[in-house]
Amino acid sequence: MVDDERDGVRLTSLDAPLGDGLEVTKGELVDHLDANAFRLVPQLAGRPLSVKRVRPGQEPFMQRNVPKGAPDWVRTVPVWSYGAHREVHQVLCDDRRTLLWLANQRAVEFHVPFFVAGAEAEPTGIVLDLDPPEGADFGVVVQAAELVRRALGDAGLAGAVKTSGSKGVHVVVPVRGVPPEDAAAATRALAARAAALDPELATTAYIREDRHGRVFLDSTRSGSSTIVAAYSPRIRPGLPVSAPVAWADLPSVRPGDVTVRTAPGRLGDGDPWAALLPDPQEVPADLVAEGHTI
Ligand code: ATP
Ligand code: MN
Ligand code: MN
């Protein structure tokens, strides 16, 4: 078994399979996260982290509470878990060594909310999560993303788009000076306006049976929910990565294009997600008011 040590973190069994059916080694996960630490850590820093981990022979599992035996240098924040009815301690992944420590535990997916711990009342962004209908071509997601872009533009806002690394895309709008309830309302209004631009293509229906083959514009991931970070791998064969896309390039994107293997050539040396994200914007009052009626 190949072991290594980086930044004082012991990395074990790097030549072993990462997990069942994933077609990559644990070392390939570690190398991807290490190479992307400089663009992942800025998205994760200060935010209560949830990771999705794998283990050979086990189902993947979402982990919010810090695992027992964490080194004393791993920062955590206490968070009340409504699901678990208790306080959990979530990791704040503020540096490369914490990321490497998580990588060694086969943490594959990195999910964070749009707020920094201690500043829950100051959302840093809103997001629309676009989910294709079962069996649909990715092209319909691209068309639906264009509707969201138009709705944003009509509201005087700008957003950036990334693939989820799984089936759909995420449109992220950095915001400032907006309370959480208003951010959530604005997200609902944007989804409704985007769907109204082409009601045959997109829907805001929460009930699956009501979607009738249309792309679902999910407005509920703003607020205390999470979204997977850009550059995070996903637990799917070959480890596809949530990849930033310039709006102009969206029509030619395929969801599995960027994987831990192709990422070095596809992502370049810079931080395309940071480059694509507009500066934090104020949210128009009429959009908020409209959202509070939904
Ligand atoms: P896909 O393209 O397949 O929809 P996705 O990451 O957008 O991939 P969704 O199910 O649409 O997956 O969920 C959107 C986001 O909501 C996720 O990225 C994740 O951060 C969060 N999320 C969804 N389900 C859970 C869950 N069970 N536990 C914690 N977070 C979740
Ligand atoms: Mn969704
Ligand atoms: Mn989704």
Side-chain angles (χ1 to χ4, degrees), residues 126 178-192 219 222-223 283-294:
I126 60 177
V178 56
E181 314 76 52
D182 290 355
T187 315
R188 288 195 299 275
L190 283 168
S219 59
S222 298
V283 179
D286 66 320
L287 192 67
V288 171
E290 188 178 314
H292 279 300
T293 69
I294 298 174

Side-chain angles (χ1 to χ4, degrees), residues 171-184:
V171 179
V172 174
V173 183
V175 300
R176 63 182 170 87
V178 56
E181 314 76 52
D182 290 355

Side-chain angles (χ1 to χ4, degrees), residues 62 111 129 131 164 166-168 170 221 225-228 234:
M62 191 65 103
H111 299 260
D129 163 45
D131 293 334
S164 71
S166 171
K167 296 178 189 145
H170 301 145
R221 304 296 176 179
S225 182
T226 63
I227 207 86
V228 77
R234 305 307 299 265

Side-chain angles (χ1 to χ4, degrees), residues 47-132:
R47 296 170 195 261
L49 176 68
S50 303
V51 290
K52 201 164 186 180
R53 295 172 58 190
V54 294
R55 280 193 195 121
Q58 278 188 27
E59 286 295 311
F61 57 102
M62 191 65 103
Q63 180 174 280
R64 292 182 70 201
N65 206 13
V66 65
K68 285 196 182 66
D72 56 8
W73 46 259
V74 170
R75 288 187 62 214
T76 61
V77 60
V79 177
W80 183 259
S81 169
Y82 291 95
H85 299 288
R86 66 187 174 98
E87 195 176 70
V88 297
H89 289 81
Q90 286 186 259
V91 170
L92 302 173
C93 186
D94 291 350
D95 53 17
R96 173 180 174 233
R97 72 176 169 171
T98 305
L99 190 64
L100 287 169
W101 173 72
L102 290 162
N104 193 50
Q105 297 166 55
R106 292 182 161 88
V108 179
E109 302 189 358
F110 292 75
H111 299 260
V112 280
F114 284 101
F115 61 79
V116 169
E120 288 77 3
E122 296 165 41
T124 57
I126 60 177
V127 61
L128 284 168
D129 163 45
L130 277 61
D131 293 334

